[in-house]
Amino acid sequence: MDTWLVTGGAGFIGSNFVSLARKSGLARIVNLDKLTYAGNLDSLDRVQGDPDHIFVQGDIGDRALVAGLLATYRPQAIIHFAAESHVDRSIQDPTAFLTTNVLGTMVLLDGALAYWRTLGPQAAQAFRFLQISTDEVFGSLGPMDPPFTETHPFAPNSPYAASKAGADHLVRAYHETHGLPTLTTHCSNNYGPYQYPEKLIPLMILNARRKEALPVYGDGRQVRDWLHVDDHCEALCRVLAKGRPGSVYNIGGNCERGNLDLIGELCAALDALLPAGAPHKDLIKHVTDRPGHDRRYAIDAGKMKRELGWEPRMTLAEGLKKTVDWYLGHDAWVDAVCARGHAAWMETQYANRVAAPAGEGRA
Ligand code: NAD
Ligand code: DAU
């Protein structure tokens, strides 16, 4: 069986990926995660007791640790999820974003390169470094613009997006300069189980459940392209198995929604699963917009379909229902996450946002 070094495997997408990889017997997993506020061992319940899942708490920026793990476990691939991932936090303080997303990725690449150079020709050819990136590096689209393709120029607008763009450039440079067999993916907005409730969908579910306001930034007409995390993880397996070294792949759900429309669909799912007397959408409250808020993201995932035969499988209606169901049925996970500083974040981020007129927002 292959061994993969996964970074950030206790986060939202990483934990779903690790669980899928182990359930499908794809590889032994060495899971390196710092356990920041967003990392959570409870999200690894599906691999608890699995001897082929090895968890290591540590920082991707720790050179000696990275070198030691690579020398000890000799993986066939590195799958790099670890990052600071929330745009609003990057606006409040970008330091950790630059440290982990840029410098941490550089340390990981250095370790990968040194290790890769010790491999024999066959193993070196088969080795892969998979950089998990985001559509946010491309910036914002106008309403009539075609979706982002892999060659769309980078124009990151938030410190988070800028830090991911920096990391992506480094990955590209290690391929061009040293021949390291890298792969990069740009994915759209993920949703599903185990997502930290600072992100839109879980935050709305938790607030709705408590009958608290659903804070919509600005006019709520910003557009995102939604993909269930299971579909994303399957796409990543496909890229690992069949992607061409040095290539970039865009992954998306073909599922553009305005935020207000998405929240409307989410509220309808909540009304069905958790009847509350009044419709949950009555809790919507427009608040001060996010500075520099990107208006629209949309992904052209045609290359994934043409070259790797991948397409998303889950519909948004099905995915939202499953996600609401999951959050309503996992009180212990939710309570443990909320007990670890979530209330402080909600206070910092939302207490001073004032009610915004529904017309507010960047054109
Ligand atoms: P997340 O915030 O839920 O998880 C990040 C994980 O990385 C956490 O477990 C955290 O403890 C770990 N981590 C952070 N800094 C670390 C460090 N220095 N060393 C080791 N571990 C560290 O993030 P997510 O939403 O699961 O996103 C995972 C990756 O996918 C990120 O690279 C993100 O940019 C990318 N991405 C996310 C989305 C999305 O919609 N969530 C979409 C496209 C791409
Ligand atoms: O596009 C991929 C990106 O998607 C990933 O790279 C990021 O890691 C991930 O966080 C996500 O970024 P967004 O900024 O799009 O996700 P978020 O869930 O924070 O917000 C989604 C939209 O909802 C966005 O337009 C902002 C808006 N929003 C968000 C929150 C938290 C609100 O209106 N109210 C809120 O309270």
Side-chain angles (χ1 to χ4, degrees), residues 11-13 33-34 36 39 59-60 81 85 100 133 160 164 190:
F12 163 48
I13 306 174
D33 195 296
K34 186 177 177 181
T36 66
D59 195 322
I60 57 164
F81 293 97
S85 71
T100 285
S133 189
Y160 160 69
K164 291 295 290 187
N190 281 220

